[in-house]
Amino acid sequence: LRASTGLYHQFPQPFQFNSQTGNPDLAPQQATHYILGFEHEADLLHFRAEAYYKDYGQLVIDNDELQLTNRGFGDARGVDVFLRYSRFLQSRFNGWISYSFLHSERHQARNTGESITFETAPSDFDITHNLNVVGKFRIIGMMYGGLNYQYATGRPYTPVIDAYQPSGQNYYLPVEGRVNSQRLPDFQRV
């Protein structure tokens, strides 16, 4: 059984410090991680499970003047589970199953065409379910066969619902729907 915590910082991208389109006074983004895990090994069986919570602060987001600020915040929580049977060359069959569950929420900016609004939505990387099943078996001698199955929930994305032409300009800008309100199709592969 193990527990851990950590405080992490990440500086914004260099272009975000631009005084014309960004903010030269941006602070580092931060995340506080809390992890509780359990691991057990016995003979040919290995099991590991971890639950985590990540608290995000000072995230870089747009503000009302279409500049950048550190007003973003959010969290992510989830569980990772790993189960393996056997080790390479120690039995006729070996394989593993890994599964991850993730739920995240972030305070994010949405461009409505006339202004910036703020809403809570999943992060861009919120793949809710991710499953891998791998099995390998020895046919004869050093000849092996195997099967691999993968499943993942589709990534969220923000739909574009309209466009507008800024006054006196020769181009259009998108009007976004609710942030990350739709998902790409689920992914499966055998």
Side-chain angles (χ1 to χ4, degrees), residues 82-95:
F82 177 79
L83 177 65
R84 181 184 70 207
Y85 176 76
S86 187
R87 291 184 182 91
F88 186 64
L89 296 178
Q90 290 188 354
S91 69
R92 188 171 188 85
F93 171 82
N94 68 73

Side-chain angles (χ1 to χ4, degrees), residues 8-132:
Y8 302 90
H9 292 89
Q10 180 178 353
F11 284 98
Q13 297 293 322
F15 71 88
Q16 293 175 319
F17 290 105
N18 181 316
S19 60
Q20 300 299 315
T21 59
N23 181 349
D25 298 321
L26 289 174
Q29 303 173 103
Q30 66 182 31
T32 306
H33 294 196
Y34 304 94
I35 302 170
L36 181 62
F38 173 79
E39 187 168 13
H40 178 72
E41 269 190 90
D43 296 325
L44 299 178
L45 192 64
H46 180 198
F47 176 76
R48 182 175 64 234
E50 291 184 339
Y52 60 87
Y53 176 77
K54 300 176 182 182
D55 185 30
Y56 301 115
Q58 295 183 200
L59 301 177
V60 175
I61 59 173
D62 290 334
N63 70 11
D64 297 326
E65 290 80 39
L66 298 178
Q67 300 297 317
L68 300 175
T69 183
N70 284 104
R71 288 181 33 201
F73 57 89
D75 63 49
R77 52 197 166 275
V79 176
D80 293 329
V81 179
F82 177 79
L83 177 65
R84 181 184 70 207
Y85 176 76
S86 187
R87 291 184 182 91
F88 186 64
L89 296 178
Q90 290 188 354
S91 69
R92 188 171 188 85
F93 171 82
N94 68 73
W96 65 88
I97 298 172
S98 65
Y99 172 74
S100 294
F101 170 79
L102 167 67
H103 177 76
S104 66
E105 291 185 326
R106 288 181 65 161
H107 179 72
Q108 301 193 63
R110 175 167 60 117
N111 182 351
T112 64
E114 298 172 5
S115 66
I116 296 289
T117 62
F118 299 94
E119 55 196 33
T120 301
S123 77
D124 294 341
F125 306 103
D126 188 322
I127 310 238
T128 310
H129 302 282
N130 193 340
L131 172 69
N132 285 286

